[in-house]
Amino acid sequence: MGEYILEMHNMIKHFPGVLAANKINLRVRRGTVHALMGENGAGKSTMMKMLIGLYQPDGGEIRFNGKTVRIDTTQKALELGISMIHQELNPVPQMTISENIWLGREPLKNRLGRIDHKKMKQDTSILLENLGISLDPNTKMAELSVASQQMVEIAKAISYNSELIIMDEPTSAITEKEVEHLFRIIHDLKEKNISIIYITHKMDEVFKISDDITVLRDGEYISTDKSEDINKNSLITKMVGRDLNQVFPKIDVPIGDVILKVENLSRDGNFRDVSFELREGEILGIAGLMGAGRTELIETIFGIYPKTDGKINIRGLEAKIESPRDALEHRLALLTEDRKDSGLFLSLSVKENIAIANINTYLHGIQLNQSNIRKDCYDQVEKLRIKTPGINQKIENLSGGNQQKALISRWLLTNPDILLLDEPTRGIDVGAKSEIHKLMGEIVKTGKSIIMISSELPEVLGMSDRVLVMHEGECMGILDRNESTQENILALASGEKI
């Protein structure tokens, strides 16, 4: 069968005004994990969409199991033995786990097309049990956490008995424990001689799980190395085309007076008796495992959810925040965790997405001052180095990092004193991460304050002046920068006292 299960030679793909793939090569060895790395816009997704039949290439050749193939539909890819776990989950919420996994290929009772629900449930139970996933096949997808939905998506991809599985950011929404579980599943797949193409922005994962690493940049092939022959710094340099000596460029900023004081804040079912202070010029990191109540805490501070007890004081005065409008009036701003679900208006332009939170300031009677909107948007695009063909470009066409910077621009236009950032660099490449980290430094340099939630410990450690650690809705402790270590944070996040 040959050493390589997949060979993609000189792949070319044009979009209007963009050469997304320029003679890119990829060769995947049988029974290995092959990491595909690169910044957003490097060509990774384009290559994978050509491989599974979503895009048709404008040039190049695909060889699978030694034979030249034409993959013009996703069904053709599945028939060949290629399946994919997509980064953007798209379950049918009101269907059960079983119905989602076997959708379109349900076992039938007879020729009349009646679905054999009993067999479908049995097959699902066996599949989940073999993968060590403890979920009831009859549970509706709408009742599952995002992490559990991701595990179902992984089970679905494996259920096709594919020889090659593409995993696009499979750990972006799952806990550390579930990541380890996924890695065990991947190890078992390798033992069965199944190959994996693994796409992630998490450097530590790459070196933990992959055998080979291919780097793409700006739609072009850069290199392929065995994981043991390359280190993190050289990988980053290949990805971004320049040295990134400081991925976390934390700068020393004078810490001023207390601007926000939270006293015994509680919301039934989410968190209880959380108290902390935030000072001018400070970045307060919030760490904890998924489900610890971090997001619910800052969304309650921002007025999305009502508190059941406690006080919020801003500049020494109690603040009555019962809605996001109240929060904006108190000069708070919130960058939400999921930019596509609760942040972006994907069908609108960059300009409209940036200006929308500040729209009242552009009103003159019933007319919008378009000249001021354009000026402010151009200023933000320049200051934050947002890569876009123009401010009238649809925001859905921008890379994840540039979408994130546009969202930060939206809130900066409201001139907040306190910026609440929930997973500010999730799902974006290392170059864009570095730029957002620099921007955070520039923001606090002006005396503004930041509360940052992050599930990436290096980010928490690298950017925070202090770290508040949560476990199952409780604040387990607040660590100064000099006592914030990975071991201390993980201990507190697991419910241990230190």
Side-chain angles (χ1 to χ4, degrees):
M1 295 291 287
E3 181 181 5
Y4 297 99
I5 187 169
L6 173 71
E7 298 172 87
M8 301 178 76
H9 293 296
N10 294 325
M11 302 302 294
I12 298 172
K13 183 62 183 176
H14 292 92
F15 295 108
V18 179
L19 180 56
N22 183 17
K23 296 184 178 180
I24 296 179
N25 299 308
L26 177 66
R27 297 202 300 172
V28 178
R29 292 188 293 140
R30 201 176 299 279
T32 63
V33 176
H34 195 115
L36 186 58
M37 303 294 291
E39 297 188 88
N40 289 342
K44 306 186 301 295
S45 293
T46 300
M47 284 288 283
M48 294 303 97
K49 286 177 180 177
M50 287 191 285
L51 178 56
I52 64 167
L54 285 175
Y55 291 162
Q56 294 308 300
D58 298 316
E61 178 189 40
I62 300 175
R63 293 178 64 82
F64 190 72
N65 274 328
K67 297 178 181 177
T68 299
V69 294
R70 176 179 171 81
I71 305 174
D72 46 16
T73 65
T74 54
Q75 186 60 39
K76 176 67 174 177
L78 290 170
E79 289 170 2
L80 286 169
I82 304 170
S83 60
M84 182 170 181
I85 300 164
H86 294 271
Q87 180 181 3
E88 305 294 339
L89 299 179
N90 194 25
V92 183
Q94 295 309 314
M95 285 188 170
T96 66
I97 292 173
S98 291
E99 290 166 337
N100 269 268
I101 287 177
W102 305 105
L103 187 62
R105 53 196 178 112
E106 298 88 348
L108 303 178
K109 278 187 175 180
N110 52 43
R111 294 178 183 176
L112 297 176
R114 288 187 62 196
I115 295 172
D116 190 337
H117 288 280
K118 183 178 179 181
K119 184 177 188 312
M120 187 163 66
K121 182 185 174 184
Q122 287 174 341
D123 290 347
T124 305
S125 296
I126 292 168
L127 173 67
L128 295 177
E129 185 178 345
N130 287 341
L131 296 174
I133 299 172
S134 300
L135 292 171
D136 182 348
N138 289 326
T139 305
K140 286 187 176 181
M141 295 295 286
E143 298 170 11
L144 298 178
S145 66
V146 174
S148 293
Q149 289 181 15
Q150 181 73 286
M151 297 307 286
V152 172
E153 189 69 18
I154 290 164
K156 181 176 181 177
I158 292 170
S159 73
Y160 287 101
N161 294 320
S162 300
E163 294 181 76
L164 174 66
I165 301 174
I166 304 160
M167 298 187 177
D168 188 1
E169 297 284 355
T171 64
S172 63
I174 61 178
T175 65
E176 291 294 325
K177 184 177 179 182
E178 287 162 330
V179 171
E180 293 302 322
H181 185 179
L182 173 62
F183 287 176
R184 289 195 296 273
I185 290 172
I186 290 173
H187 180 267
D188 291 343
L189 292 172
K190 283 177 61 178
E191 291 289 305
K192 297 172 183 174
N193 214 29
I194 293 169
S195 307
I196 312 287
I197 296 177
Y198 196 89
I199 301 173
T200 184
H201 291 304
K202 298 179 180 179
M203 291 287 169
D204 293 340
E205 289 183 3
V206 172
F207 292 99
K208 189 179 289 186
I209 199 67
S210 68
D211 300 292
D212 302 302
I213 302 172
T214 288
V215 177
L216 307 181
R217 187 172 72 236
D218 297 330
E220 297 190 349
Y221 171 83
I222 300 300
S223 65
T224 297
D225 298 276
K226 290 192 174 178
S227 302
E228 61 200 36
D229 296 334
I230 189 171
N231 61 35
K232 182 176 178 179
N233 288 337
S234 56
L235 175 57
I236 290 173
T237 301
K238 287 185 177 191
M239 287 170 59
V240 301
R242 63 189 186 280
D243 285 321
L244 274 182
N245 296 323
Q246 283 191 304
V247 177
F248 305 108
K250 183 79 176 84
I251 57 175
D252 289 328
V253 172
I255 303 299
D257 297 331
V258 173
I259 187 172
L260 172 71
K261 185 174 183 180
V262 172
E263 297 180 84
N264 304 113
L265 196 66
S266 300
R267 173 168 166 75
D268 287 348
N270 295 128
F271 59 88
R272 58 199 170 276
D273 292 327
V274 175
S275 300
F276 66 89
E277 293 180 346
L278 176 70
R279 295 179 176 272
E280 293 172 337
E282 181 180 33
I283 298 177
L284 175 68
I286 300 184
L289 303 177
M290 201 166 285
R294 299 169 302 166
T295 293
E296 291 80 2
L297 172 64
I298 66 166
E299 288 184 342
T300 299
I301 292 171
F302 195 67
I304 293 174
Y305 300 121
K307 62 184 173 64
T308 49
D309 201 6
K311 293 181 181 178
I312 299 171
N313 295 296
I314 297 176
R315 298 194 184 280
L317 299 173
E318 186 171 353
K320 188 177 181 182
I321 301 177
E322 297 179 344
S323 69
R325 185 185 294 275
D326 294 336
L328 287 169
E329 288 177 0
H330 284 286
R331 301 184 71 172
L332 273 68
L334 170 64
L335 183 76
T336 55
E337 178 182 15
D338 189 331
R339 61 177 172 268
K340 291 194 174 175
D341 184 52
S342 56
L344 296 168
F345 297 92
L346 289 169
S347 62
L348 299 184
S349 68
V350 173
K351 179 184 74 174
E352 291 163 324
N353 270 274
I354 290 176
I356 200 161
N358 210 37
I359 204 74
N360 286 340
T361 66
Y362 301 115
L363 278 173
H364 290 280
I366 60 170
Q367 296 290 321
L368 284 172
N369 189 323
Q370 294 292 342
S371 176
N372 284 352
I373 292 176
R374 284 193 297 273
K375 179 183 179 302
D376 285 350
C377 290
Y378 279 125
D379 285 347
Q380 289 297 317
V381 166
E382 185 177 344
K383 283 179 186 175
L384 274 69
R385 296 177 290 277
I386 300 171
K387 292 179 183 175
T388 175
I391 60 173
N392 292 316
Q393 175 78 5
K394 277 191 177 182
I395 202 158
E396 66 182 350
N397 295 329
L398 269 59
S399 70
N402 287 300
Q403 289 177 348
Q404 196 76 327
K405 287 193 280 185
L407 279 176
I408 294 173
S409 292
R410 173 194 296 174
W411 294 115
L412 290 181
L413 275 182
T414 67
N415 194 27
D417 289 332
I418 300 168
L419 197 54
L420 310 173
L421 304 178
D422 194 352
E423 303 286 2
T425 64
R426 171 175 285 173
I428 64 176
D429 59 73
V430 66
K433 280 186 180 183
S434 180
E435 289 186 359
I436 286 176
H437 292 149
K438 285 177 185 173
L439 176 62
M440 289 169 62
E442 291 166 9
I443 290 169
V444 294
K445 207 173 177 181
T446 65
K448 298 179 186 297
S449 307
I450 291 175
I451 296 177
M452 176 192 71
I453 292 176
S454 177
S455 298
E456 296 187 31
L457 272 181
E459 184 170 57
V460 172
L461 293 167
M463 294 305 299
S464 305
D465 294 293
R466 291 183 302 142
V467 181
L468 184 157
V469 187
M470 295 187 69
H471 169 72
E472 294 183 352
E474 286 188 46
C475 172
M476 298 300 296
I478 300 176
L479 303 172
D480 287 330
R481 187 168 175 83
N482 59 3
E483 50 184 4
S484 297
T485 64
Q486 184 166 319
E487 292 75 20
N488 283 346
I489 291 174
L490 285 175
L492 290 172
S494 301
E496 299 175 20
K497 297 286 187 182
I498 60 170

